[in-house]
Amino acid sequence: MTDLPKLSRPATRALENAGIETLEDLAKLSRNELLALHGVGPASLPPIEAAMRAAGLDFAQK
């Protein structure tokens, strides 16, 4: 299990509230599903995508 990258407080809270604790959890979501979470905006994508790429993961294709 791979830890999430450091994000803004609203984005971190949004992920916690959705039960997302690892990059593997994020890989179960599509990019649009992630952005639909209240508190997660476009500025959160670059660090998340970089961490996912480094771990060999990508968003789900839904």
Side-chain angles (χ1 to χ4, degrees), residues 10-50:
T12 299
R13 274 193 306 271
L15 295 177
E16 288 173 356
N17 290 338
I20 299 168
E21 299 177 354
T22 66
L23 290 177
E24 288 80 7
D25 292 337
L26 271 176
K28 296 174 186 173
L29 300 178
S30 70
R31 184 175 277 106
N32 288 335
E33 289 172 324
L34 174 64
L35 289 173
L37 296 175
H38 181 73
V40 178
S44 300
L45 282 178
I48 289 172
E49 289 175 329

